[in-house]
Amino acid sequence: MPRTPDTSVPVSPTSVELPTGGTVRPVTRWGEAVMHRKARPVTIYDDDLRVLVADLVATMYAADGVGLAACQIGVDLAVFVFDCPDADRVTHRGIVCNPEVEVPEGPDRRLDEDEEGCLSYPGAFVDCARPDFARVTGFGVDGSPVVFEGTGLLARCLQHETDHTLGTVFGDRLNNRARKRLRKQMEAAAPDYPADWPVGVSDE
Ligand code: ZN
């Protein structure tokens, strides 16, 4: 998901340190097969996984995103990274392999209608209703269990990125009219996003 202009300072105590030194890779777009099928689970927590996670982090930051899943750099593995503010503008950072998301059901379930976008469909944003709280469980880059939860954009991000590991893009959650609007915006913005974007984007 793309970052909103809102930059937050406080960091949640559950945050993990994201690796640095990764390589920025082109972002895979909707329509590529890897974006639309369930990803393979992570079973080996080794150096290759650490390199992949570092590349995800580097690419997320280069693309000015708040979250990025492995399929978005063309890799068929169920893992995502995020650096995202919650409703109180507290920043949460994490790595989740084999994510499972839980959202409130019944009387606790409240939908948040807010703008959503996807780095794999860049330059386009429409409202998408999502539960206003989410909890994700899974495993860190070393294979130990992790839990992340929260509100606001973070809740949206945890749901959006877990969806990616299941082969679902947020356009799949929209009605035809919203999807058309989204496509028009994406097409209008296309000149700003060459095929290898965000490779070569300078970090100012
Ligand atoms: Zn996305």
Side-chain angles (χ1 to χ4, degrees):
M1 276 178 56
R3 174 172 291 278
T4 56
D6 157 18
T7 51
S8 51
V9 186
V11 176
S12 87
T14 58
S15 289
V16 304
E17 203 171 315
L18 298 181
T20 56
T23 303
V24 177
R25 294 166 58 166
V27 169
T28 306
R29 307 297 171 90
W30 294 5
E32 295 291 329
V34 72
M35 299 292 308
H36 303 283
R37 63 177 181 234
K38 191 174 190 293
R40 284 187 301 119
V42 175
T43 53
I44 304 170
Y45 295 83
D46 61 359
D47 282 344
D48 287 350
L49 181 66
R50 278 185 279 280
V51 168
L52 169 63
V53 166
D55 288 358
L56 282 171
V57 171
T59 306
M60 172 178 73
Y61 287 137
D64 211 12
V66 296
L68 194 71
C71 62
Q72 296 184 273
I73 57 170
V75 176
D76 177 21
L77 269 183
V79 51
F80 71 82
V81 301
F82 63 94
D83 177 339
C84 185
D86 66 17
D88 299 317
R89 301 191 175 190
V90 174
T91 283
H92 298 247
R93 300 190 182 109
I95 301 161
V96 191
C97 301
N98 305 339
E100 289 191 24
V101 73
E102 291 167 53
V103 294
E105 301 291 344
D108 291 340
R109 186 179 174 92
R110 282 176 304 271
L111 291 183
D112 176 23
E113 276 272 1
D114 212 344
E115 258 188 1
E116 188 158 328
C118 181
L119 298 176
S120 294
Y121 207 75
F125 298 86
V126 298
D127 283 359
C128 180
R130 300 257 194 193
D132 64 356
F133 176 88
R135 172 182 298 125
V136 162
T137 57
F139 301 90
V141 73
D142 59 355
S144 56
V146 294
V147 183
F148 299 101
E149 61 179 35
T151 54
L153 186 62
L154 177 66
R156 184 171 295 280
C157 175
L158 295 175
Q159 294 171 69
H160 179 114
E161 302 308 335
T162 302
D163 270 355
H164 274 312
T165 69
L166 299 170
T168 298
V169 298
F170 89 95
D172 298 337
R173 295 186 174 275
L174 300 174
N175 62 35
N176 283 338
R177 240 168 93 191
R179 204 158 37 226
K180 248 184 219 162
R181 241 183 21 249
L182 194 70
R183 193 178 64 227
K184 276 196 181 152
Q185 291 180 34
M186 184 275 288
E187 286 168 356
D192 296 334
Y193 300 98
D196 66 347
W197 176 80
V199 174
V201 171
S202 65
D203 202 13
E204 284 147 43

